[in-house]
Amino acid sequence: MKSDREAMSQERKAGLLRRTSSSKKTLKEKVVLMYDEIFTKDDPAKSNPRFWDELFLMKVNLEYLEGKLESLDGDEVMVKENINSLFHHCVLALEDEHQIKVVNALQTLCALFRGVYQKNKSATGFDIINMLVGFDKAELRMKNLMESLDSLLCGDGSESLKSLCLKLLLCLVTVTDNISQNTILEYVMINSIFEAILQILSDVSSRAQHGYDAVVLLALLVNYRKYESVNPYIVKLSIVDDEATLDGMGMVVHQALTEYNRQYKDKEEENHGGFFSTLTNMVGSMFIADADEKLSVQTNEAILLALYEAVHLNRNFITVLAQSHPEIDMAATPVSTTPTTPTTPLGTTPPSLDMMHNPELPLDPNLQTSNLLITFLKYSSIVMQDTKDEHRLNSARLCLIILTCIAEDQYADAFLHDDNMNFRVNLHRMPMRHRKKAADKNIPSRPLVCAVMDLMVEFIVTHMMKEFPMDLYMRCVQIIHKLICYQKKCRIRLHYTWRELWSALINLVKFLLSNETTLLAKHNIFYLALQVVNLFNMFITYGDTFLPTPSSYDELYYEIVRMHQVFDNLYCMALRVSTNVGQWKEPASKVTHALVNVRAIVNHFNPKIESYAAVNHISQLSEDQVLEVVRSNYDTLTLKLQDGLDQFERYSEQPKETGFFKELVRSISLNVRKNVSLNTLSQDVLLKEFSSIS
Amino acid sequence: MGDTELELSPSHLEELQKSPSASSTSTTSSLSLPSSPSSGRHPFTSSSPSASEGLPASSPPLDVISEGVGELSLVIDTEVAKKACQEVLQKVKFLKSDGETTPASFKPVLVNGTAHNDSREGESGELNKPSKIGEEEPPPGSVKSARRRQKNNSSKQSWLLRLFESKLFDISMAISYLYNSKEPGVQAYIGNRLFSFRNEDVDFYLPQLLNMYIHMDEDVGDAIKPYVVHRCRQSINFSLQCAWLLGAYSSDMHISTQRHSRGTKLRKLILSDELKPASQRVRREILQPPAPCPPPLHHAPGLNEHGLSPSKRTHQRSKSDATVSISLSSNLKRTASNPKVESSQDEPVRLTPQREFIKSLMGIGKRLATLPTKEQKTQRLISELSLLNHKLPARVWLPTAAFDHHVVRVPHTQAVVLNSKDKAPYLIYVEVLECENFETSSVPVRIPETRIRSTRSVENLPDCGITPDQRASSFSTVPNYDNDDEAWSVDDIGELQVELPEIHTNSCDNISQFSVDSITSQESKEPIFIAAGDIRRRLSEQLAQTPTTFKKDPEDPSAVALKEPWQEKVRRIREASPYGHLPNWRLLSVIVKCGDDLRQELLAFQVLKQLQSIWEQERVPLWIKPYKILVISSDSGMIEPVVNAVSIHQVKKQSQLSLLDYFLQEHGNYTTEAFLTAQRNFVQSCAGYCLICYLLQVKDRHNGNILLDSEGHIIHIDFGFILSSSPRNLGFETSAFKLTNEFVDVMGGQDGDMFNYYKMLMLQGLIAARKHMEKVIQIVEIMQQGSQLPCFHGSSTIRNLKERFHMSLTEEQLQVLVEQMVDGSMRSITTKLYDGFQYLTNGIM
């Protein structure tokens, strides 16, 4: 039934074409006729020896061809051979000196891939390969195809051609929902185009035009059967050490993220335009989530995945993160930017091209020097604001994973803490009722790690909600822990307002306690509580190695004593759960053990403070008075040394994160497939371009 | 012969004696000084014998050829130059005699010259010379008549010749005669004689030489040019230095004249990079003649070709000489060690990399100046430098360094912007690799920032590391990876990331005592208790332990960077550098000044250097620290920073202590060895700089311009106001030098021994300086030529400078003078007033 209907629609399309073309567009009709010939006759070249030559001289009718392929009956052996033949001739045409033929061959190939896959969705990968290329010749044909694509990508030829090549590859890579089931990619593994991608990224002008597609392609290829076999793209990406290339990759990511940040900011400004709009915004947010909706620019997971793979796999890439950016492309501007690609690039947020090749940094004093890491932090701060939407949740999770990798890297830590590299990082903060939006200008210039800390604190205080993002909180607390471990190890005394972190963490515990029942149904809240308590233990026992001043140590005690109720309650709750039999018995008892020093502090200082108040007849002690009590009573307090406070589990993608990445890649594939459009590359533009060349 | 010598006029005698090196028997000094010929003249005495002995023994130079090529040029040059000198002198005699009517004989002169050579050096080989010269001379008739007319003049000439050939004749005297002599022949002789001095000695006077070349008459220029051209061929560094100095010293001329001036022309010639060593033709020439003694053979025809004009001929000769030696040396070197350099293609860009390097540094300075705040400047600087890093390593170097090297990396995060109101001088640290010769040694290979990972990968994955060459050759097909190769499973990649420099592998010293405890406690399982009070105490102790680091101040970013001990900084940067493991790794630093005229600084540097060597020679323990200056144009340049030193202003602002208390804090109590050493250093440097300030009339002496190093020395910087110029001509700072009560306190008060020592040092220093006044005056006087610098404002600069040496005073009178100056300076309210003025206007304490 279904195929019948499709056949009818095909008929209609063809018929329509025929009718209109009979008057003028004979060309179109001819190409359709020729397609038909391929699917009906024995060998189209028999009757017309120049059949293939002519075919590739004609404008491709993608729609028709794809539809035709989809409607085919898969069992027709004869048709299979003709399809193989079409594929073969497409590959041959790629080497033709006529650029038009190359263009048409590329587009035809694209339609072939799509059509055949669409038709044989349920078939195994091998059957599809057989249908497309023919088993016996597949290895050779695919090798030829990849070689042709490689030389087209690396050659001095037209930029539009390169663009088409990348689109074809993207089309091929995303033709299945699950990239790992796309067996034909084995040939792309064997016949690597990795070097071609690198070359595109290392060259300034080609990067400006194709960098985005190249980076997305690379990110996808790296994820092909990542966990099952050795993927040469992973191996190769991990050892790239050419700085120009790595910088290029960084630039592409930087541009895409910057563009996102800019779009977001524009929308934000639109929304907060004047008094009235702020008012409506307030009212609006009260009733419908309309304002939020407006603000959400769709995230770009493909580019984020590329950043993750680069950071995770390639240690050299870490240096790129700190590379200052606005003026990086000092090299010559590309010859022309306008004519080639009027396409909407892949994904959802097209990077604006003109930003890519800024010959020299404008001498604008207000222009902040930036780098990829800063841009990424800003991006993260926007993405993390709202994690309700599935895509944003994924993006936020990926951001935190990337930050985890960064926090574990020694070199990254070195520049995060570099006292000479101070920046103002304007993170986006969620507008909340109980706090004002911090004025941007007041942010001091500090080492980058402060911005990371701020981001973490910001996340902690803004996500205590019903749909508790447990895993994000865990990652968040772990990132903080890793950074503090580094500071302890290297004795770096960061001048950071630790108090904000302490109170955020205490509030988090408070939230966990008050929502115990609902949260315990879904999450192991004791694990998170344990992490939080251990952070405090780090400060209590190793504070001498990384706190900036003696008074900051006093403040830590002050904060613990001030909020002692939270710790008391946590202890009671953990004790209660640990005495019951149940799944939380063990984690809960761990929390009670971890609390030993916090409790010692509370129990030691509380009576002292009370007696101080009694002696001096003060009902409410001031902060200074409490601090005074704290300072004078250290010596009688004994703490217990706890094991392994400064040890952490290193991040590893396998096996914990595999599920997440599989799903992520699937969603990226779908998105890319949806957006890859060959039609938009207007034939006229190409014709114009090539008429002068050939 | 004896008669002629007696005829020497008193003025010449005086001149001979005035020339410093000839004064071994002159004025009795209160200080014991070693006989001058042997001390302090080493450079010359070592090279001069080889010059005079070279000719008779023709085999040694050949030996040298076979062994080391480097020396060859020197040997040939001196030999030839000496010969040329003598010829020129004789020419001079002829020319001179033309104008005189008294009949003279040439023969005595010749005999005279030879005889005294014999008598002094006892070399029979010299006898060859007259005959050879005789052969080369034009028709004998004219010679005879010339000889006849020569007689009276001969005595003078012989004296000069004796002086010129004596061991006492050093570069300083050569410069002096070049400047003062009005006789083209003498100038030409000295021009040739320059070849016989050590390069380093002449380099010191390069500003003088070039300034004379630009601003004095043609004869002087002609005399200097061959030498300059010769050295330019030899060295890229010299070429660039010349080009920069020529540009800077020509800048005071009118635009119209400047364009056609000889200085500009020479500069263009150098920058066109036509002065390359070695051409194929010349090399063939030297290879053709049979082995023994090629240079003389080579010369004879040259002389005949060029007739009488002495300057032209010497020019030609020295040039061919230069090319011969250079071509030989470079060819040998190239074929032997570094075949890559041999390709002639890389010669056109001989000067380019370095010029580009300097240009980009200056460009950064210009762009920084447009930014309003220090913070923005610093950020921008760091990012600009990180870009510069992409182009390194390259065949570039810091001209202020004392050794050959290639710049490999600029640790960009270490760079700081210095304090300046409207310009943006900045300080960068530069990692270099020392090498034998920066022109011929190959440029180091770039090592990526995170080297550990990449080296590891290359080892493990030989077939995966695809080089660009492989890539270029063909489309690469990657073999299917067999799964046995577990080395490259994803997990392993993750593990590699763990492997990081030092801290991860052996971090015992980085882990606090507690962590060690915590590790051991895991084994024992017995709870360990700690006192909270200990943690708190340790925290405050550790913070107290590092009081000598300055606090970060966004308005004064350089203070922290400069306070950090140099060795520590070197260690820190070395650890973080991918090149740090190389044995020839060095760290240099340089201040890049853009928009500032450093010509006065250079002049001051030369004077300081001269005085330093005078004091060293006279064994006066004064301490000064001349820092190197590189003039790039009349408004840009580089300065070698003084390491381990911060300005007194920064000291006072950061420590909030008096200078004496700061000394006590930094070095220990009054009686400690460290304090006493620091105090002595302070006194010696103070005395040295007080003299400098007096002699040069250094003004603008606020605390921002006086540095204090970690050993207690003070160092004056910024010589923007010296001699005839003073800031805004407000008439401030009328005292002889700056001596505040704080300084006296550090010395132990007015009644202390150290204060007396201070005054004694000043006296000794002044006496020593007076003795060698000419050497100091000369430096300044020559630079006055054609200069519009403010320090030469007015007509009496040199006269006033001379007066400050007080040649006429007795030592007792000098002592009184020193007392008066010290008293005056101490009591002077103007110093205090000026400091107050600076505090009000610039916030300098």
Side-chain angles (χ1 to χ4, degrees), chain B residues 463-704:
Chain B
D463 45 356
C464 263
I466 285 148
T467 64
D469 302 41
Q470 283 171 307
R471 164 105 205 92
S473 60
S474 70
F475 176 80
S476 62
T477 307
V478 178
N480 218 345
Y481 282 93
D482 52 339
N483 291 338
D484 293 349
D485 192 359
E486 281 179 3
W488 281 96
S489 68
V490 184
D491 282 357
D492 195 55
I493 291 163
E495 267 188 28
L496 265 183
Q497 291 188 328
V498 184
E499 200 179 281
L500 290 162
E502 21 92 58
I503 300 168
H504 255 278
T505 47
N506 245 335
S507 56
C508 269
D509 46 355
N510 283 319
I511 297 173
S512 80
Q513 194 57 42
F514 279 147
S515 339
V516 179
D517 286 348
S518 79
I519 289 161
T520 48
S521 75
Q522 278 176 330
E523 291 154 14
S524 60
K525 280 291 165 200
E526 237 170 68
I528 293 172
F529 294 101
I530 42 170
D534 287 346
I535 300 172
R536 172 68 160 70
R537 209 168 298 122
R538 214 168 12 239
L539 175 58
S540 34
E541 273 166 15
Q542 274 167 5
L543 286 168
Q545 262 172 23
T546 47
T548 48
T549 53
F550 283 169
K551 229 183 278 156
K552 206 155 190 101
D553 178 0
E555 286 310 303
D556 185 8
S558 61
V560 182
L562 295 173
K563 178 65 182 159
E564 181 180 22
W566 175 252
Q567 284 311 318
E568 206 158 292
K569 192 184 288 284
V570 170
R571 184 193 54 74
R572 196 168 50 81
I573 294 177
R574 185 166 201 160
E575 263 173 22
S577 165
Y579 302 91
H581 63 288
L582 298 169
N584 53 341
W585 185 94
R586 306 279 179 273
L587 188 70
L588 299 173
S589 60
V590 72
I591 294 171
V592 181
K593 284 242 183 185
C594 189
D596 284 307
D597 186 352
L598 294 184
R599 286 177 292 172
Q600 277 187 196
E601 290 279 345
L602 180 59
L603 180 65
F605 162 75
Q606 286 189 297
V607 171
L608 260 69
K609 197 86 188 162
Q610 194 73 290
L611 282 169
Q612 189 185 38
S613 73
I614 289 168
W615 287 331
E616 193 187 330
Q617 183 190 332
E618 303 288 342
R619 308 217 169 151
V620 185
L622 289 173
W623 190 95
I624 52 172
K625 171 106 189 156
Y627 49 89
K628 281 189 197 152
I629 302 290
L630 181 74
V631 171
I632 289 171
S633 71
S634 57
D635 71 344
S636 65
M638 297 207 240
I639 299 177
E640 177 194 32
V642 183
V643 299
N644 289 330
V646 286
S647 77
I648 292 185
H649 161 68
Q650 285 168 332
V651 165
K652 294 177 67 118
K653 192 176 175 200
Q654 293 269 354
S655 70
Q656 299 288 332
L657 296 170
S658 75
L659 206 52
L660 177 62
D661 288 338
Y662 181 76
F663 261 72
L664 292 169
Q665 177 200 296
E666 290 281 297
H667 303 285
N669 226 330
Y670 290 107
T671 49
T672 58
E673 178 84 26
F675 177 82
L676 292 173
T677 310
Q679 192 187 39
R680 193 178 62 241
N681 288 339
F682 182 81
V683 169
Q684 287 172 348
S685 58
C686 218
Y689 276 105
C690 283
L691 277 182
I692 299 278
C693 287
Y694 169 63
L695 292 174
L696 276 183
Q697 289 293 295
V698 185
K699 299 298 178 195
D700 197 21
R701 292 301 88 195
H702 55 74
N703 284 338

Side-chain angles (χ1 to χ4, degrees), chain A residues 154 236 243 247 312 316 324 365 410 420 422 424 488-489 491 493 544 554 635 639 641 643, chain B residues 375-376 379 383 390 413 446 450 471 478 497-498 504 510 512 515 521 528 530 536-538 542:
Chain A
C154 295
K236 287 179 175 197
E243 274 156 281
D247 277 351
H312 178 235
N316 301 319
S324 299
Q410 198 80 30
N420 284 319
N422 290 323
R424 289 177 210 277
K488 172 192 167 281
K489 202 178 345 179
R491 308 220 159 204
R493 301 181 186 281
D544 58 328
D554 305 337
D635 281 329
L639 300 170
L641 192 66
D643 290 335
Chain B
E375 186 188 303
Q376 283 173 329
Q379 273 186 12
S383 65
H390 285 266
T413 61
R446 181 176 175 85
T450 47
R471 164 105 205 92
V478 178
Q497 291 188 328
V498 184
H504 255 278
N510 283 319
S512 80
S515 339
S521 75
I528 293 172
I530 42 170
R536 172 68 160 70
R537 209 168 298 122
R538 214 168 12 239
Q542 274 167 5

Side-chain angles (χ1 to χ4, degrees), chain A residues 34-48:
Chain A
M34 288 177 93
Y35 290 149
D36 287 342
E37 223 172 320
I38 297 169
F39 295 111
T40 47
K41 286 197 175 171
D42 289 342
D43 181 3
K46 237 180 210 170
S47 56
N48 178 5

Side-chain angles (χ1 to χ4, degrees), chain B residues 687 690-691 737 758-766 818 822:
Chain B
C690 283
L691 277 182
F737 40 78
Y758 159 76
K759 286 190 281 193
M760 203 258 288
L761 281 177
M762 295 244 313
L763 177 63
Q764 289 181 345
L766 192 53
V818 168
V822 170

